[in-house]
Amino acid sequence: MTDRDRFDQWSYFEERDLAGAFVCSWVEAPDHRAVVTRLRAEEETLACDLNQARRWHHPLSQEDVVWVADQSPGWVKLFALSGSCLWWALDSLPQPGGRAFYLSYDQAIGRVSDPVYVDEGRWLDMPPDVWDRPMKEGAHLVGSSGIAQEMNLFLAVMGYTTGRFVDDTWFTTPGLLCRIRDGTWAP
């Protein structure tokens, strides 16, 4: 057990050198294999956890590589290790009638993206009520920098929405490293 504040989620990414270019999505889906199928990546996968997959973390690469794993019952997480971030596929990944969220941070420009929200295939503004509990409980006050505080707020929203906060076990969850072939999602 750790003495770390449960809202101090961003530090887990910093400790693993995954904070410089952070791109993650959470989608409502039965399991991670269903999402891999929707990504059309079944032929190019490797079973591993994120601690193992992070060696493929090359944010400036053009090759789309993502780690997909179960977040909690009914939710799947997708952590982009390289490539274009998969935001363009976000409305296709949830189960019918489901939701998806997308969050990114790029250290080079020093800014956190506005979180993206998809509900039943429609791109919408984040529901206002998702901010209430994390703000009331002070998630936005945890962290050693403004970026850390902002990311901890957004990660708390995801934690409350999906039922699971980031901790050490988040990185050891079994999942699949997926390579998305060029042209798979071309118009």
Side-chain angles (χ1 to χ4, degrees), residues 11-137:
S11 63
Y12 289 101
F13 296 98
E14 291 174 320
E15 290 166 4
R16 290 167 173 83
D17 293 324
L18 294 172
F22 173 91
V23 179
C24 194
S25 297
W26 295 261
V27 300
E28 280 187 302
D31 60 42
H32 68 280
R33 293 190 184 281
V35 171
V36 170
T37 299
R38 289 183 187 212
L39 282 173
R40 300 181 215 147
E42 308 95 330
E43 296 174 16
E44 302 251 357
T45 63
L46 174 68
C48 64
D49 64 23
L50 185 53
N51 284 328
Q52 297 162 327
R54 69 185 190 156
R55 73 179 116 175
W56 284 275
H57 191 239
H58 302 287
L60 300 177
S61 172
Q62 296 301 309
E63 183 179 37
D64 289 324
V65 178
V66 64
W67 176 72
V68 183
D70 294 330
Q71 166 79 0
S72 60
W75 285 95
V76 173
K77 57 192 166 201
L78 295 87
F79 189 88
L81 295 160
S82 72
S84 63
C85 337
L86 303 178
W87 63 267
W88 34 261
L90 201 56
D91 56 354
S92 302
L93 299 179
Q95 60 194 353
R99 298 171 290 167
F101 297 88
Y102 169 88
L103 179 61
S104 69
Y105 166 69
D106 185 345
Q107 189 175 35
I109 60 174
R111 143 174 159 33
V112 179
S113 69
D114 291 331
V116 173
Y117 173 62
V118 176
D119 187 4
E120 296 184 7
R122 294 184 322 261
W123 296 76
L124 304 167
D125 291 332
M126 292 284 284
D129 61 330
V130 301
W131 307 105
D132 295 344
R133 186 172 180 188
M135 289 295 288
K136 182 179 177 183
E137 294 181 10

